[in-house]
mmCIF file of all heavy atoms in Angstrom:
data_model
loop_
_atom_site.group_PDB
_atom_site.id
_atom_site.type_symbol
_atom_site.label_atom_id
_atom_site.label_comp_id
_atom_site.label_asym_id
_atom_site.label_seq_id
_atom_site.Cartn_x
_atom_site.Cartn_y
_atom_site.Cartn_z
ATOM 1 N N THR I 1 0.857 -1.166 0.008
ATOM 2 C CA THR I 1 0.047 0.016 0.058
ATOM 3 C C THR I 1 0.962 1.225 0.013
ATOM 4 O O THR I 1 1.898 1.233 0.483
ATOM 5 C CB THR I 1 -0.956 -0.028 1.235
ATOM 6 O OG1 THR I 1 -0.098 -0.040 2.385
ATOM 7 C CG2 THR I 1 -1.813 -1.144 1.220
ATOM 8 N N PRO I 2 0.375 2.355 -0.547
ATOM 9 C CA PRO I 2 1.146 3.522 -0.557
ATOM 10 C C PRO I 2 1.312 4.076 0.852
ATOM 11 O O PRO I 2 0.613 3.702 1.696
ATOM 12 C CB PRO I 2 0.355 4.461 -1.418
ATOM 13 C CG PRO I 2 -0.980 4.029 -1.352
ATOM 14 C CD PRO I 2 -0.903 2.512 -1.262
ATOM 15 N N GLY I 3 2.377 4.880 1.124
ATOM 16 C CA GLY I 3 2.514 5.449 2.443
ATOM 17 C C GLY I 3 1.303 6.218 2.842
ATOM 18 O O GLY I 3 0.648 6.874 2.017
ATOM 19 N N ARG I 4 1.062 6.150 4.132
ATOM 20 C CA ARG I 4 -0.158 6.712 4.656
ATOM 21 C C ARG I 4 0.088 8.053 5.520
ATOM 22 O O ARG I 4 1.208 8.181 6.065
ATOM 23 C CB ARG I 4 -0.872 5.765 5.548
ATOM 24 C CG ARG I 4 -1.186 4.416 4.953
ATOM 25 C CD ARG I 4 -1.965 3.490 5.826
ATOM 26 N NE ARG I 4 -1.972 2.208 5.134
ATOM 27 C CZ ARG I 4 -3.003 1.306 5.562
ATOM 28 N NH1 ARG I 4 -3.602 1.300 6.591
ATOM 29 N NH2 ARG I 4 -2.999 0.085 4.883
ATOM 30 N N THR I 5 -0.756 8.875 5.578
ATOM 31 C CA THR I 5 -0.711 10.074 6.379
ATOM 32 C C THR I 5 -1.294 9.661 7.671
ATOM 33 O O THR I 5 -2.415 9.066 7.900
ATOM 34 C CB THR I 5 -1.398 11.291 5.881
ATOM 35 O OG1 THR I 5 -0.855 11.574 4.459
ATOM 36 C CG2 THR I 5 -1.265 12.424 6.702
ATOM 37 N N ALA I 6 -0.617 10.040 8.788
ATOM 38 C CA ALA I 6 -1.139 9.774 10.144
ATOM 39 C C ALA I 6 -2.487 10.432 10.319
ATOM 40 O O ALA I 6 -2.439 11.792 10.299
ATOM 41 C CB ALA I 6 -0.132 10.109 11.311
ATOM 42 N N VAL I 7 -3.568 9.791 10.395
ATOM 43 C CA VAL I 7 -4.875 10.453 10.541
ATOM 44 C C VAL I 7 -5.100 10.906 12.125
ATOM 45 O O VAL I 7 -4.937 10.247 12.967
ATOM 46 C CB VAL I 7 -5.949 9.486 10.214
ATOM 47 C CG1 VAL I 7 -7.394 10.194 10.334
ATOM 48 C CG2 VAL I 7 -5.776 8.997 8.791
ATOM 49 N N ARG I 8 -5.607 12.195 12.256
ATOM 50 C CA ARG I 8 -5.837 12.719 13.487
ATOM 51 C C ARG I 8 -7.244 12.496 13.906
ATOM 52 O O ARG I 8 -8.200 12.312 13.031
ATOM 53 C CB ARG I 8 -5.574 14.214 13.455
ATOM 54 C CG ARG I 8 -4.234 14.620 13.182
ATOM 55 C CD ARG I 8 -3.347 14.391 14.277
ATOM 56 N NE ARG I 8 -1.918 14.719 13.945
ATOM 57 C CZ ARG I 8 -0.917 14.564 14.736
ATOM 58 N NH1 ARG I 8 -1.102 13.853 15.824
ATOM 59 N NH2 ARG I 8 0.191 14.986 14.438
ATOM 60 N N PRO I 9 -7.518 12.200 15.177
ATOM 61 C CA PRO I 9 -8.781 12.008 15.671
ATOM 62 C C PRO I 9 -9.738 13.344 15.587
ATOM 63 O O PRO I 9 -9.024 14.263 15.341
ATOM 64 C CB PRO I 9 -8.672 11.547 16.973
ATOM 65 C CG PRO I 9 -7.343 12.213 17.486
ATOM 66 C CD PRO I 9 -6.610 12.221 16.198
ATOM 67 N N SER I 10 -10.955 13.163 15.724
ATOM 68 C CA SER I 10 -11.672 14.375 15.804
ATOM 69 C C SER I 10 -11.247 15.236 16.910
ATOM 70 O O SER I 10 -11.011 14.805 18.056
ATOM 71 C CB SER I 10 -13.201 14.032 16.082
ATOM 72 O OG SER I 10 -13.784 13.175 15.060
ATOM 73 N N PRO I 11 -11.057 16.554 16.741
ATOM 74 C CA PRO I 11 -10.575 17.514 17.712
ATOM 75 C C PRO I 11 -11.388 17.435 19.082
ATOM 76 O O PRO I 11 -12.528 17.513 19.093
ATOM 77 C CB PRO I 11 -10.667 18.823 17.100
ATOM 78 C CG PRO I 11 -10.707 18.604 15.602
ATOM 79 C CD PRO I 11 -11.418 17.352 15.489
ATOM 80 N N ALA I 12 -10.591 17.109 20.149
ATOM 81 C CA ALA I 12 -11.256 17.047 21.410
ATOM 82 C C ALA I 12 -10.750 18.159 22.307
ATOM 83 O O ALA I 12 -11.056 18.209 23.495
ATOM 84 C CB ALA I 12 -10.970 15.673 22.062
ATOM 85 N N GLY I 13 -9.805 18.932 21.798
ATOM 86 C CA GLY I 13 -9.369 20.069 22.694
ATOM 87 C C GLY I 13 -8.085 19.659 23.392
ATOM 88 O O GLY I 13 -7.869 18.399 23.464
ATOM 89 N N PRO I 14 -7.323 20.626 23.982
ATOM 90 C CA PRO I 14 -6.254 20.244 24.689
ATOM 91 C C PRO I 14 -6.528 19.330 25.995
ATOM 92 O O PRO I 14 -7.681 19.593 26.509
ATOM 93 C CB PRO I 14 -5.686 21.581 25.101
ATOM 94 C CG PRO I 14 -6.313 22.541 24.096
ATOM 95 C CD PRO I 14 -7.561 21.991 23.765
ATOM 96 N N ARG I 15 -5.584 18.663 26.359
ATOM 97 C CA ARG I 15 -5.820 17.813 27.642
ATOM 98 C C ARG I 15 -4.450 17.606 28.280
ATOM 99 O O ARG I 15 -3.331 17.813 27.541
ATOM 100 C CB ARG I 15 -6.272 16.488 27.206
ATOM 101 C CG ARG I 15 -5.295 15.494 26.534
ATOM 102 C CD ARG I 15 -5.776 14.139 26.308
ATOM 103 N NE ARG I 15 -6.820 14.177 24.982
ATOM 104 C CZ ARG I 15 -6.995 13.069 24.368
ATOM 105 N NH1 ARG I 15 -6.574 11.938 24.737
ATOM 106 N NH2 ARG I 15 -7.806 13.254 23.383
ATOM 107 N N THR I 16 -4.456 17.409 29.516
ATOM 108 C CA THR I 16 -3.276 17.174 30.280
ATOM 109 C C THR I 16 -3.074 15.658 30.473
ATOM 110 O O THR I 16 -4.086 14.960 30.836
ATOM 111 C CB THR I 16 -3.297 17.864 31.741
ATOM 112 O OG1 THR I 16 -3.438 19.276 31.518
ATOM 113 C CG2 THR I 16 -2.086 17.485 32.500
ATOM 114 N N ALA I 17 -2.012 15.232 30.149
ATOM 115 C CA ALA I 17 -1.656 13.723 30.157
ATOM 116 C C ALA I 17 -0.216 13.521 30.505
ATOM 117 O O ALA I 17 0.614 14.361 30.255
ATOM 118 C CB ALA I 17 -2.102 13.081 28.843
ATOM 119 N N THR I 18 0.152 12.278 30.915
ATOM 120 C CA THR I 18 1.505 11.869 30.994
ATOM 121 C C THR I 18 1.974 11.424 29.709
ATOM 122 O O THR I 18 1.226 11.185 28.706
ATOM 123 C CB THR I 18 1.623 10.666 31.976
ATOM 124 O OG1 THR I 18 0.916 9.608 31.560
ATOM 125 C CG2 THR I 18 1.112 11.066 33.395
ATOM 126 N N LEU I 19 3.300 11.265 29.525
ATOM 127 C CA LEU I 19 3.802 10.702 28.218
ATOM 128 C C LEU I 19 3.286 9.308 27.972
ATOM 129 O O LEU I 19 2.982 9.077 26.829
ATOM 130 C CB LEU I 19 5.309 10.834 28.279
ATOM 131 C CG LEU I 19 6.107 10.598 26.964
ATOM 132 C CD1 LEU I 19 7.284 11.449 26.868
ATOM 133 C CD2 LEU I 19 6.448 9.148 26.795
ATOM 134 N N ALA I 20 3.235 8.426 29.092
ATOM 135 C CA ALA I 20 2.693 7.211 28.833
ATOM 136 C C ALA I 20 1.251 7.176 28.299
ATOM 137 O O ALA I 20 0.825 6.375 27.514
ATOM 138 C CB ALA I 20 2.674 6.361 30.205
ATOM 139 N N GLN I 21 0.463 8.051 28.923
ATOM 140 C CA GLN I 21 -0.971 8.282 28.507
ATOM 141 C C GLN I 21 -1.143 8.699 27.088
ATOM 142 O O GLN I 21 -2.046 8.254 26.282
ATOM 143 C CB GLN I 21 -1.773 9.154 29.460
ATOM 144 C CG GLN I 21 -1.936 8.523 30.885
ATOM 145 C CD GLN I 21 -2.481 9.672 31.840
ATOM 146 O OE1 GLN I 21 -2.190 10.848 31.673
ATOM 147 N NE2 GLN I 21 -3.188 9.147 32.853
ATOM 148 N N ALA I 22 -0.273 9.627 26.636
ATOM 149 C CA ALA I 22 -0.277 10.115 25.296
ATOM 150 C C ALA I 22 0.153 8.971 24.227
ATOM 151 O O ALA I 22 -0.529 8.859 23.169
ATOM 152 C CB ALA I 22 0.767 11.257 25.118
ATOM 153 N N LEU I 23 1.012 8.074 24.595
ATOM 154 C CA LEU I 23 1.377 6.943 23.917
ATOM 155 C C LEU I 23 0.075 5.941 23.762
ATOM 156 O O LEU I 23 -0.147 5.470 22.708
ATOM 157 C CB LEU I 23 2.543 6.237 24.360
ATOM 158 C CG LEU I 23 3.931 6.834 24.272
ATOM 159 C CD1 LEU I 23 5.001 6.178 25.177
ATOM 160 C CD2 LEU I 23 4.402 7.008 22.917
ATOM 161 N N ASN I 24 -0.461 5.717 24.915
ATOM 162 C CA ASN I 24 -1.748 4.959 24.996
ATOM 163 C C ASN I 24 -2.879 5.524 24.088
ATOM 164 O O ASN I 24 -3.431 4.768 23.239
ATOM 165 C CB ASN I 24 -2.235 4.748 26.322
ATOM 166 C CG ASN I 24 -3.444 3.946 26.405
ATOM 167 O OD1 ASN I 24 -4.626 4.494 26.317
ATOM 168 N ND2 ASN I 24 -3.316 2.721 26.581
ATOM 169 N N SER I 25 -2.952 6.864 24.041
ATOM 170 C CA SER I 25 -3.990 7.540 23.147
ATOM 171 C C SER I 25 -3.598 7.312 21.734
ATOM 172 O O SER I 25 -4.469 7.098 20.807
ATOM 173 C CB SER I 25 -3.990 8.790 23.552
ATOM 174 O OG SER I 25 -4.586 9.086 24.820
ATOM 175 N N ALA I 26 -2.384 7.398 21.364
ATOM 176 C CA ALA I 26 -1.933 7.228 19.924
ATOM 177 C C ALA I 26 -2.250 5.930 19.457
ATOM 178 O O ALA I 26 -2.676 5.718 18.326
ATOM 179 C CB ALA I 26 -0.499 7.538 19.797
ATOM 180 N N LEU I 27 -1.892 4.842 20.349
ATOM 181 C CA LEU I 27 -2.276 3.492 19.944
ATOM 182 C C LEU I 27 -3.804 3.264 19.760
ATOM 183 O O LEU I 27 -4.314 2.690 18.791
ATOM 184 C CB LEU I 27 -1.688 2.460 20.900
ATOM 185 C CG LEU I 27 -0.095 2.379 21.000
ATOM 186 C CD1 LEU I 27 0.254 1.570 22.246
ATOM 187 C CD2 LEU I 27 0.445 1.798 19.598
ATOM 188 N N ARG I 28 -4.595 3.866 20.740
ATOM 189 C CA ARG I 28 -6.020 3.587 20.729
ATOM 190 C C ARG I 28 -6.588 4.354 19.404
ATOM 191 O O ARG I 28 -7.368 3.658 18.746
ATOM 192 C CB ARG I 28 -6.614 4.168 21.962
ATOM 193 C CG ARG I 28 -8.008 3.946 22.218
ATOM 194 C CD ARG I 28 -8.488 4.478 23.398
ATOM 195 N NE ARG I 28 -7.681 4.070 24.573
ATOM 196 C CZ ARG I 28 -7.888 2.971 25.263
ATOM 197 N NH1 ARG I 28 -8.876 2.241 24.974
ATOM 198 N NH2 ARG I 28 -7.185 2.531 26.363
ATOM 199 N N ASP I 29 -6.106 5.505 19.199
ATOM 200 C CA ASP I 29 -6.779 6.305 18.161
ATOM 201 C C ASP I 29 -6.383 5.566 16.691
ATOM 202 O O ASP I 29 -7.248 5.426 15.857
ATOM 203 C CB ASP I 29 -6.197 7.624 18.035
ATOM 204 C CG ASP I 29 -6.951 8.554 19.239
ATOM 205 O OD1 ASP I 29 -7.986 8.237 19.746
ATOM 206 O OD2 ASP I 29 -6.281 9.572 19.522
ATOM 207 N N THR I 30 -5.171 5.045 16.665
ATOM 208 C CA THR I 30 -4.780 4.385 15.445
ATOM 209 C C THR I 30 -5.513 3.130 15.251
ATOM 210 O O THR I 30 -5.938 2.762 14.013
ATOM 211 C CB THR I 30 -3.214 4.229 15.472
ATOM 212 O OG1 THR I 30 -2.448 5.456 15.637
ATOM 213 C CG2 THR I 30 -2.750 3.560 14.135
ATOM 214 N N LEU I 31 -5.660 2.296 16.276
ATOM 215 C CA LEU I 31 -6.382 1.067 16.261
ATOM 216 C C LEU I 31 -7.843 1.250 15.810
ATOM 217 O O LEU I 31 -8.431 0.550 15.088
ATOM 218 C CB LEU I 31 -6.398 0.316 17.488
ATOM 219 C CG LEU I 31 -4.996 -0.368 17.899
ATOM 220 C CD1 LEU I 31 -5.136 -0.675 19.407
ATOM 221 C CD2 LEU I 31 -4.828 -1.671 16.971
ATOM 222 N N ARG I 32 -8.519 2.430 16.211
ATOM 223 C CA ARG I 32 -9.894 2.694 15.915
ATOM 224 C C ARG I 32 -9.916 3.097 14.428
ATOM 225 O O ARG I 32 -10.893 2.721 13.690
ATOM 226 C CB ARG I 32 -10.365 3.851 16.674
ATOM 227 C CG ARG I 32 -10.611 3.511 18.153
ATOM 228 C CD ARG I 32 -11.002 4.732 18.900
ATOM 229 N NE ARG I 32 -11.353 4.462 20.359
ATOM 230 C CZ ARG I 32 -11.443 5.352 21.357
ATOM 231 N NH1 ARG I 32 -11.044 6.634 21.077
ATOM 232 N NH2 ARG I 32 -11.681 4.963 22.511
ATOM 233 N N GLU I 33 -8.991 3.803 13.965
ATOM 234 C CA GLU I 33 -9.111 4.284 12.547
ATOM 235 C C GLU I 33 -8.456 3.391 11.436
ATOM 236 O O GLU I 33 -8.867 3.449 10.269
ATOM 237 C CB GLU I 33 -8.271 5.562 12.449
ATOM 238 C CG GLU I 33 -8.900 6.739 13.322
ATOM 239 C CD GLU I 33 -7.905 7.864 13.611
ATOM 240 O OE1 GLU I 33 -6.883 7.903 12.941
ATOM 241 O OE2 GLU I 33 -8.269 8.654 14.409
ATOM 242 N N ASP I 34 -7.642 2.413 11.763
ATOM 243 C CA ASP I 34 -6.981 1.682 10.808
ATOM 244 C C ASP I 34 -7.003 0.114 11.226
ATOM 245 O O ASP I 34 -6.347 -0.317 12.041
ATOM 246 C CB ASP I 34 -5.618 2.042 10.634
ATOM 247 C CG ASP I 34 -4.803 1.342 9.435
ATOM 248 O OD1 ASP I 34 -5.387 0.395 8.888
ATOM 249 O OD2 ASP I 34 -3.644 1.873 9.011
ATOM 250 N N PRO I 35 -7.907 -0.671 10.521
ATOM 251 C CA PRO I 35 -8.010 -2.009 10.914
ATOM 252 C C PRO I 35 -6.819 -2.815 10.625
ATOM 253 O O PRO I 35 -6.700 -4.002 11.108
ATOM 254 C CB PRO I 35 -9.205 -2.592 10.163
ATOM 255 C CG PRO I 35 -9.326 -1.587 9.040
ATOM 256 C CD PRO I 35 -8.775 -0.279 9.472
ATOM 257 N N SER I 36 -5.916 -2.314 9.851
ATOM 258 C CA SER I 36 -4.663 -3.112 9.613
ATOM 259 C C SER I 36 -3.631 -3.161 10.691
ATOM 260 O O SER I 36 -2.626 -3.818 10.626
ATOM 261 C CB SER I 36 -3.972 -2.705 8.340
ATOM 262 O OG SER I 36 -3.377 -1.454 8.474
#
């Protein structure tokens, strides 16, 4: 497949998070958007 652009989730506004939580959010959002 051609290279993909990292799709952003719907804007939810700024949030305070730890670096670990940000990584978790990145994985969660990507799993939701890309079944591969």
Side-chain angles (χ1 to χ4, degrees):
T1 56
R4 307 182 185 191
T5 301
V7 180
R8 298 290 182 187
S10 300
R15 69 180 76 160
T16 297
T18 65
L19 190 143
Q21 290 168 337
L23 293 169
N24 179 270
S25 294
L27 291 171
R28 188 180 304 276
D29 289 341
T30 306
L31 285 162
R32 285 173 178 166
E33 296 162 10
D34 189 346
S36 72

